[in-house]
Amino acid sequence: MSRTTTSAKRSDVASVTGQPADGTGRRSHKRGIGLGGMDWGAFRTMTDEEVVARALKDPDNLPITEEDRKRMKPRPRVYITRRALRMTQEQFAEAFRIPIGTLRDWEQGRTEPDQANRAYLKVIAVDPEFVRRALALRPAETMDTDQ
């Protein structure tokens, strides 16, 4: 199996670990050993090349190969949006008045949203609170009352 390698910087590795590259994360004690056993003092003394080399040796964190990429399925945008909002399928469906079966079909790739629903999902992703407020209004409140 061939490994793909890319040039990476400390900030790339740090973003994967969820810790700041400069080691300013919370420390469990004074020696510079952070949460999870990370020795930030030693990390700061390493070159970018040493950081990448050490990351590539980690058997639990091998780079993704082209074979891996081919067998992996991309997540539908609706799934990503729902997870970003930290909502269950049931919560998302109820909050935005989408039938639960339809939402599940979209997320599992059985069907895709039509153009109008893609636009609706984009608005939800950009400003979910606006959509919630709009859906909370009664129909009479959304009509022009000058008739």
Side-chain angles (χ1 to χ4, degrees):
M1 175 190 282
S2 66
R3 291 187 194 173
T4 58
T5 59
T6 59
S7 61
K9 299 189 183 236
R10 275 176 214 244
S11 59
D12 299 332
V13 175
S15 69
V16 171
T17 63
Q19 295 290 335
D22 62 0
T24 59
R26 292 179 288 166
R27 314 258 177 180
S28 58
H29 46 79
K30 294 181 182 178
R31 290 186 311 207
I33 306 295
L35 297 176
M38 180 66 183
D39 185 349
W40 289 106
F43 179 77
R44 283 192 299 272
T45 64
M46 296 170 65
T47 66
D48 289 346
E49 292 77 21
E50 291 171 329
V51 170
V52 171
R54 185 164 296 177
L56 291 173
K57 289 180 185 177
D58 183 355
D60 294 327
N61 191 28
L62 296 175
I64 295 175
T65 65
E66 281 305 312
E67 291 173 8
D68 294 334
R69 203 174 301 282
K70 287 178 185 175
R71 71 175 169 72
M72 295 169 71
K73 292 185 349 184
R75 294 285 192 174
R77 186 171 303 274
V78 65
Y79 172 84
I80 295 167
T81 300
R82 179 180 63 78
R83 292 297 302 256
L85 295 174
R86 298 180 183 205
M87 298 174 82
T88 65
Q89 287 180 333
E90 292 78 11
Q91 291 168 333
F92 190 87
E94 184 179 337
F96 300 112
R97 299 185 188 167
I98 299 171
I100 186 72
T102 301
L103 178 62
R104 288 182 177 145
D105 286 345
W106 291 344
E107 286 194 7
Q108 294 170 10
R110 288 193 289 265
T111 61
E112 290 189 16
D114 61 13
Q115 186 174 356
N117 282 315
R118 283 194 305 270
Y120 180 51
L121 291 168
K122 185 172 185 174
V123 173
I124 292 170
V126 171
D127 195 348
E129 292 309 313
F130 168 79
V131 176
R132 288 178 198 206
R133 286 192 312 273
L135 291 173
L137 294 175
R138 293 185 299 241
E141 295 173 316
T142 61
M143 298 288 193
D144 185 16
T145 57
D146 293 336
Q147 296 177 354

